[in-house]
Amino acid sequence: DIQMTQSPSSLSASVGDRVTITCQASQDISNYLNWYQQKPGKAPKLLIYDASNLETGVPSRFSGSGSGTDFTFTISSLQPEDIATYYCQQYDNLPITFGPGTKVDIK
Amino acid sequence: QVQLQESGPGLVKPSQTLSLTCTVSGGSISSGSYYWSWIRQPAGKGLEWIGRIYTSGSTNYNPSLKSRVTISVDTSKNQFSLKLSSVTAADTAVYYCATILDWGQGTLVTVSS
């Protein structure tokens, strides 16, 4: 299985701050990586697909980059509604695997 | 974009089989090129991919669960289903049906006598 790691596991930031989350794959996954946002009690929501493509309707303050084994997810200006846990997911190899998540809250 | 809704028993006894159904609306389960997946999440923990079925009916399962999992599709009802046998307390989780983009709201399944 491809192991996905994320850092940090949690962070607190102020409204308007730039927030960056990293995701690392245990082997090369090209750009077969998605980023999901999950709010408490809700299903995950796709934000970024294929590492860097913004899903339709997702605010442009969200972005993703990277390829191979190292990926970055950025919120350019943190908003109160962005409080959530963020997961990366690889789908290059089966089984599909997720990172452990990064919990983001407001300082 | 389609809507997905999970249904099934919320309580299953240990050693029994967990059975869930996902009803797809807003589109045909047999059209397009979709993988229809099951994913689960124990309380307070991360996401685990269980497996998927393609529109052709071919399946892929997580090796960690493969011996206990069956995913099937009923195109006449626009549904796909999950069966997980020989459950234990470790299988207690919120179970989601999903495509990459669209997810159901999730259903909590508790394994307890």
Side-chain angles (χ1 to χ4, degrees), chain B residues 19-55:
Chain B
S19 295
L20 295 174
T21 297
C22 182
T23 301
V24 178
S25 58
S28 171
I29 200 169
S30 55
S31 67
S33 298
Y34 288 117
Y35 284 107
W36 305 94
S37 294
W38 287 97
I39 295 156
R40 69 181 183 179
Q41 185 173 38
K45 297 190 178 181
L47 298 158
E48 180 180 31
W49 180 78
I50 299 170
R52 69 186 184 185
I53 188 163
Y54 193 54
T55 50

Side-chain angles (χ1 to χ4, degrees), chain A residues 33-64:
Chain A
L33 184 107
N34 297 327
W35 287 98
Y36 289 89
Q37 175 193 65
Q38 186 178 33
K39 296 183 178 180
K42 300 293 186 182
K45 174 187 176 183
L46 179 67
L47 300 181
I48 303 287
Y49 64 94
D50 295 346
S52 60
N53 295 296
L54 193 67
E55 176 57 31
T56 302
V58 173
S60 58
R61 64 180 180 274
F62 296 101
S63 65

Side-chain angles (χ1 to χ4, degrees), chain B residues 11 23 27 100:
Chain B
L11 181 64
T23 301
I100 285 187

